[in-house]
Structures are given as structure tokens and as C-alpha cells.
Amino acid sequence: MKRVFGVKKDKEPPPTVQDASDRITKRGDSVDEKIKKLDAELSRYKEQIRKTRPGPAQEAVKARAMRVLKQKRMYEGQRDMLYNQTFNLDQVGFAAEGIKDAQQTMSALKSANKDLKGMMKTVKIQDIDSLQDEMMDLMDVSNEIQETLGRSYNVPDDIDEDDLLDELDALEADMGTESEAGVPSYLQPDKESDLDELNLPSAPTGHAAPGGRTNAQADDELGLPAVPHASIRN
């Protein structure tokens, strides 16, 4: 049967935008090479025209230069057309890539939406509100427990607040007096008048000893009598 009807050939996949763009770019590069060769030939003809005297020879060179110039214009037109095609293909490629990106974004959003819906089923606003109320009640109970544990057992209940205020005012007055003096009153030195009232004897003073020596009693800071020193005579 295959020999009679033959085998159906598989269709080749259509070219992609990138394939078409690459093919047209190669054609444009070949056209650019041809234009460069024509430019070199035109520059050579221009030099010949400048060196040749007016006459048939110069006219012949001008005719060849005109032919090359026409070819160059034709190739430049083809190059511009190829560039336009490449630009259009690039625009189509950008649009196709944008659509692919949009498709991927939509797929990701759908997957995220599905996941969020599944998570929202496990979280309810009523449960959150009840949990918050329960936490507030627990905090109030905790504060009451802390206040109860911090209560003092030694404070009597029959203390008059007026007496406490009077005692506080007296304490502030004493503190003000001590701050003015710089030191507490019980640490301040006695005044001179108090020393005079005691009528204590004055400290003994030193007197000169014979021979130009000073009595050791004057050197004794405690005011005690000095011990006499024995002298050795030869």
C-alpha cells in the first residue's frame, strides 16, 4: 500500500519570528558588503575622472561610474526594505514575548489566589476577635494577681493621712536646713562660743633650753613631757 499511495510527509514547523529575523539580518549584511564594494569602485572612478582630461575617455569613465552609482542606489533601497522588515519582526517578537510574560503572570496569580483561598478557610475573623478578647481578659487577671501579690502586710489601716502630711512637711523642712548648711547638723563642728564656755586650758607651748637647744616638749605634738636624754661625759 505504501508503494502504491506513498507515505505522507510530515509538515515542517513554520519558521519562528526569531528565525525570520535572523535570515533577513543575514541578507542585510550581504547587501551592506555589496554597497561597500560599490563605494570603493566609485571612489576609484572619481579619482580617474579627476585625472582624465575632458573628452571621450572621461565620458566613458563617467558612464561606468553612473552605472555603479545606480547599482548602489538599488542595493541601498533593498537594505532599507530589509531593515524595515527586521524592525517589524522585532516588534512582533516583543509583542509575543509580552503575551508570554502575561500568560505566566496570570498562571502565577491563579496559583497564588488558590493558595490564599485555601489559607483563608483556616483563618476566621470571629476566631481572631474572640482570641483578642480572651487575651485582654487574661491580662486583666494577671494585673490583679500582681497587685494582690504586691500588697504590704505591715501597713496599719488606722493611720491618719493628715498626720502623715504634717510629718512629711517637717521632714522636708529638715532636709532644706541640712542642704543649706552643706552637711547635716549633727556632723557640723562646734562653734567658738561653745569652746569658750568649756574654759579648757590652752595647749602648752615650747620654751628655749639652755645652750641654744629647744626643749623636746615643744616638739611633742601631744603636749606630753619629754623624756630627758642622758649625756655621756669623757
Side-chain angles (χ1 to χ4, degrees), residues 112-179:
N113 189 17
K114 183 178 180 180
D115 295 337
L116 285 174
K117 287 181 179 180
M119 289 185 290
M120 286 298 179
K121 292 180 181 179
T122 60
V123 180
K124 296 181 180 180
I125 301 298
Q126 295 82 2
D127 296 339
I128 296 175
D129 292 337
S130 61
L131 181 61
Q132 290 290 338
D133 295 337
E134 186 177 355
M135 290 297 295
M136 292 177 66
D137 294 338
L138 291 175
M139 292 301 295
D140 293 337
V141 173
S142 176
N143 292 331
E144 292 179 359
I145 292 173
Q146 296 297 327
E147 292 177 359
T148 303
L149 292 176
R151 187 181 302 169
S152 178
Y153 300 105
N154 296 326
V155 178
D157 296 333
D158 56 350
I159 296 178
D160 191 359
E161 293 184 358
D162 295 334
D163 295 339
L164 292 177
L165 292 175
D166 294 339
E167 185 176 354
L168 180 61
D169 294 337
L171 180 61
E172 290 179 352
D174 292 340
M175 292 175 64
T177 303
E178 293 177 359
S179 62

Side-chain angles (χ1 to χ4, degrees), residues 100-114:
K100 289 181 181 180
D101 295 338
Q103 289 177 349
Q104 292 180 357
T105 303
M106 288 297 297
S107 299
L109 289 175
K110 288 180 180 180
S111 178
N113 189 17
K114 183 178 180 180

Side-chain angles (χ1 to χ4, degrees), residues 25 27-46 68-69 71-77 79 83:
T25 301
R27 287 179 60 191
D29 293 339
S30 64
V31 173
D32 285 333
E33 292 295 332
K34 292 179 180 180
I35 292 174
K36 289 179 181 179
K37 292 180 180 180
L38 293 176
D39 286 334
E41 190 174 355
L42 279 175
S43 63
R44 187 174 63 254
Y45 286 152
K46 288 179 182 179
V68 173
L69 184 60
Q71 291 179 356
K72 178 183 175 182
R73 298 299 184 194
M74 182 187 65
Y75 285 130
E76 286 178 349
R79 184 184 61 182
Y83 283 165

Side-chain angles (χ1 to χ4, degrees), residues 1-16:
M1 296 293 294
K2 292 181 180 181
R3 292 178 181 179
V4 176
F5 298 100
V7 179
K8 186 178 180 181
K9 295 182 180 181
D10 296 332
K11 292 183 179 180
E12 295 181 357
T16 61

